[in-house]
Amino acid sequence: QVQLVESGGGLVQAGGSLRLSCAASGRAFNVMGWFRQAPGKEREFVSAIRWSDGNTYYADSVKGRFTISRDNAKNTVYLQMNSLKPEDTAVYYCAADRAPYGTVSFLSRSYDYWGQGTQVTVSS
């Protein structure tokens, strides 16, 4: 049974850092990523990593500040978030996909498996 377990959210001041973790159980995935959703807004793509080669992808809003990485042995992905801004405040969701060719998508509907979400709050 597929399960994604997220951790690492919390409250931090602007300019601070947080590190999110997502551990996946069950079969390996071709693509894993992070989305976020703020109140009253649609869920948006943050970052993704292709498992086969480790290629990474980022939304323009987080480039240079966030880093996604993987731990193959633990089947876990991480999102290191630095220089956090109040506009980064959202519920962050880990997502996984078994896309046959490892195609990375920026659309939430392309991902079939989701974590429960973890709250990230950045104060001014």
Side-chain angles (χ1 to χ4, degrees), residues 58-118:
Y58 299 94
D60 289 341
S61 60
V62 306
K63 286 181 180 177
R65 300 188 298 119
F66 291 10
T67 303
I68 189 170
S69 61
R70 60 175 177 172
D71 186 325
N72 292 336
K74 297 179 179 180
N75 202 27
T76 298
V77 294
Y78 305 94
L79 186 67
Q80 179 66 46
M81 305 184 294
N82 298 325
S83 301
L84 283 163
K85 306 174 181 179
E87 50 263 44
D88 294 318
T89 296
V91 176
Y92 283 69
Y93 297 91
C94 178
D97 187 23
R98 292 197 179 109
Y101 303 102
T103 301
V104 175
S105 176
F106 297 162
L107 304 175
S108 61
R109 60 181 173 85
S110 297
Y111 294 79
D112 294 324
Y113 305 97
W114 295 85
Q116 80 286 352
T118 184

Side-chain angles (χ1 to χ4, degrees), residues 1-25:
Q1 184 67 32
V2 173
Q3 186 176 23
L4 304 178
V5 180
E6 301 158 325
S7 62
L11 174 64
V12 65
Q13 293 184 343
S17 299
L18 286 173
R19 188 188 190 217
L20 306 183
S21 300
C22 176
S25 63

